[in-house]
Amino acid sequence: MQRVLVVATALVLVLLALAAPAFAQGSEVATQESLNTTFFLFVMVLVFLMHPGFALLEAGMTQSSNAANIMMKNMMVVSIAFIAYYAVGWGLMYGTSVVGLFGGDEFFLIPGTYLGELDGFAFLSSEFMFDAVFAATAATIISGAVAGRMNLWGFLILAAVIVAFVYPVVGHWGWGGGWLEAGLGFHDFAGSTIVHLVGGAAALTAAAILGPRVDKFDPDGQSRLLAGHSAPLAVLGVFLLWMGWFGFNGGSVLNAEVAVGPVLVTTALAASAGALTAALYSAVTARGKTDLSMTGNGVLAGLVGITAGADVVAPWAAILVGVAAGIVISVAIPFVERARIDDAVGAFSVHGLCGVLGTWWVGFFSSSADVGLGLLYGGELSFLAVQLGGPLVVAAFVAAVTAAVCFGLRAVNLLRISDDHQREGLDVVEHGLPGYPEGVLAGAGSSTAD
């Protein structure tokens, strides 16, 4: 009997020894999935902090009589985004591709491969959360551009269309296996085009159709400066956005095992170069007076510019794109005003133009592709040509859909607030409660920064 026990024990030990590698491998896979799940949720929180950043920046750079309205719009965009992206957006973006244009399944976050698999759904849901805050970012960019004169419910309808349809379709093209990514090799690491150009193009289109704020231009068409009511709020917003961008770009490595440090380095360098360039440009052109709002725009312009290539451009190229972005917004913001388009916070210049710049930058400076300078390679479109053309197609699509929605809103009187109500302030007109009830800041104006 004793010999039997010894032999049985020996057999058990041998079997355990043989099974140990399999157990270890399974444990390693489970640990890595748990690590990635935690990673997604952590960077999601960082990206979520961009939304209070947008709210503070837009409120600080616009009139005090519209502060509560700005806060309400930003709060509602996030609320709409989670529900709309859950119901429709995720499926359109990451569902099985329909001829490379949009996803055709996985609506309501129900992919067949994860049904009944709790661990798998835990990981999938963390990916969803990370992506949903990106979707909200694309829509909230519009908020500042139309500040002070757009009907609240009209704006929310437009935001819902952007989150549920426009952003997911463009995202499918570039990230979900659609025609730009899978078909042509388009590279947009964290969304210079897919997120920021979508928001910037929609912002310009909506602002142009909506028309300027009631007192923005004099009878001769000259632009009036409507100074923002709180520089501290605006700068705090910039810092929150900058911090959130480390999650925005850093999280886009999509795997906790991939080195995040190089992406954070290029992100920090581009933002810093954008800020310094915009500050210097404003000091030179304004006889030594450094423009705070333009400097804040410089930070964001640099961040937008590096977002497409944070993973594939060298640190020196990240500095150069920040310099270029700082110059672009310094020239573009006044140019847009001279065109009599009232983009109240410079959203198109920062997110739209610098989104294009950043995507083009990858075509010229990517360290991971032999692109050359030609538009054709082996008889087909080169990587450079794809990077140059992709943003233009996206901008045209976004502008067309946004225009259709805005003209529809105008037809049902949900687009623009009346001139008298604009002068009274949207806080009282739309919400019945001023953002500053004590009236200390009443009468402050509005300016340019997002």
Side-chain angles (χ1 to χ4, degrees):
M1 182 65 179
Q2 186 175 5
R3 288 181 181 179
V4 173
L5 290 174
V6 170
V7 172
T9 302
L11 287 173
V12 170
L13 291 174
V14 169
L15 290 173
L16 288 174
L18 292 174
F23 282 123
Q25 183 178 9
S27 176
E28 182 179 343
V29 171
T31 300
Q32 183 57 42
E33 185 170 291
S34 298
L35 182 60
N36 284 335
T37 299
T38 303
F39 173 72
F40 271 125
L41 295 177
F42 173 73
V43 292
M44 182 277 293
V45 171
L46 285 178
V47 179
F48 189 88
L49 285 174
M50 295 174 72
H51 293 286
F54 275 117
L56 290 170
L57 179 61
E58 293 168 10
M61 288 299 172
T62 52
Q63 293 170 299
S64 63
S65 57
N66 297 317
N69 181 256
I70 291 286
M71 294 296 177
M72 173 65 86
K73 287 194 297 182
N74 280 271
M75 182 166 56
M76 293 299 289
V77 163
V78 175
S79 303
I80 288 171
F82 281 125
I83 294 175
Y85 195 67
Y86 161 74
V88 181
W90 174 271
L92 287 176
M93 191 159 177
Y94 292 114
T96 304
S97 188
V98 179
V99 296
L101 295 178
F102 53 86
D105 56 16
E106 301 195 14
F107 301 108
F108 296 96
L109 206 62
I110 307 177
T113 55
Y114 284 109
L115 283 176
E117 299 179 21
L118 183 59
D119 291 340
F121 184 75
F123 177 65
L124 176 73
S125 60
S126 67
E127 288 186 288
F128 165 81
M129 291 297 295
F130 179 63
D131 232 63
V133 286
F134 270 58
T137 299
T140 203
I141 290 168
I142 307 168
S143 170
V146 300
R149 76 271 197 203
M150 187 169 186
N151 180 284
L152 173 66
W153 294 104
F155 168 77
L156 296 180
I157 290 170
L158 175 59
V161 172
I162 297 295
V163 171
F165 175 69
V166 176
Y167 167 76
V169 168
V170 173
H172 184 78
W173 295 353
W175 288 340
W179 66 276
L180 265 178
E181 177 192 32
L184 299 176
F186 181 72
H187 183 89
D188 185 5
F189 175 62
S192 286
T193 287
I194 294 170
V195 178
H196 294 281
L197 177 56
V198 166
L204 180 71
T205 305
I209 295 172
L210 183 61
R213 286 165 290 178
V214 63
D215 294 320
K216 178 60 180 175
F217 298 100
D218 65 22
D220 296 327
Q222 296 299 310
S223 174
R224 294 190 179 105
L225 175 64
L226 302 177
H229 83 273
S230 176
L233 286 184
V235 173
L236 179 57
V238 169
F239 275 118
L240 282 173
L241 285 164
W242 195 345
M243 180 172 67
W245 230 289
F246 289 126
F248 198 88
N249 285 359
S252 293
V253 302
L254 303 180
N255 191 319
E257 287 189 320
V258 177
V260 179
V263 170
L264 301 186
V265 168
T266 54
T267 300
L269 291 175
S272 302
L276 292 170
T277 301
L280 180 61
Y281 189 100
S282 68
V284 170
T285 56
R287 298 181 180 180
K289 302 209 179 284
T290 308
D291 190 313
L292 178 66
S293 68
M294 198 64 77
T295 302
N297 268 335
V299 172
L300 302 183
L303 290 167
V304 173
I306 194 57
T307 293
D311 62 328
V312 294
V313 302
W316 62 267
I319 293 174
L320 290 182
V321 77
V323 171
I327 295 172
V328 165
I329 56 102
S330 298
V331 174
I333 287 176
F335 177 82
V336 170
E337 286 198 348
R338 286 196 294 273
R340 291 182 60 82
I341 296 176
D342 182 15
D343 180 351
V345 295
F348 171 69
S349 300
V350 172
H351 299 278
L353 291 180
C354 291
V356 173
L357 171 69
T359 309
W360 287 359
W361 209 259
V362 176
F364 287 106
F365 293 98
S366 171
S367 61
S368 65
D370 182 14
V371 298
L373 294 179
L375 299 182
L376 293 176
Y377 182 79
E380 299 180 353
L381 285 176
S382 69
F383 178 67
L384 175 60
V386 172
Q387 293 301 116
L388 294 178
L392 304 183
V393 176
V394 168
F397 169 72
V398 174
V401 176
T402 303
V405 173
C406 287
F407 284 126
L409 292 173
R410 176 185 285 177
V412 294
N413 200 30
L414 282 177
L415 185 66
R416 184 179 171 89
I417 298 295
S418 71
D419 290 357
D420 288 342
H421 284 171
Q422 287 183 52
R423 292 190 177 97
E424 187 177 355
L426 271 61
D427 288 2
V428 173
V429 171
E430 295 271 31
H431 311 291
L433 178 70
Y436 298 96
E438 71 281 3
V440 173
L441 297 176
S446 173
S447 177
T448 55
D450 191 7

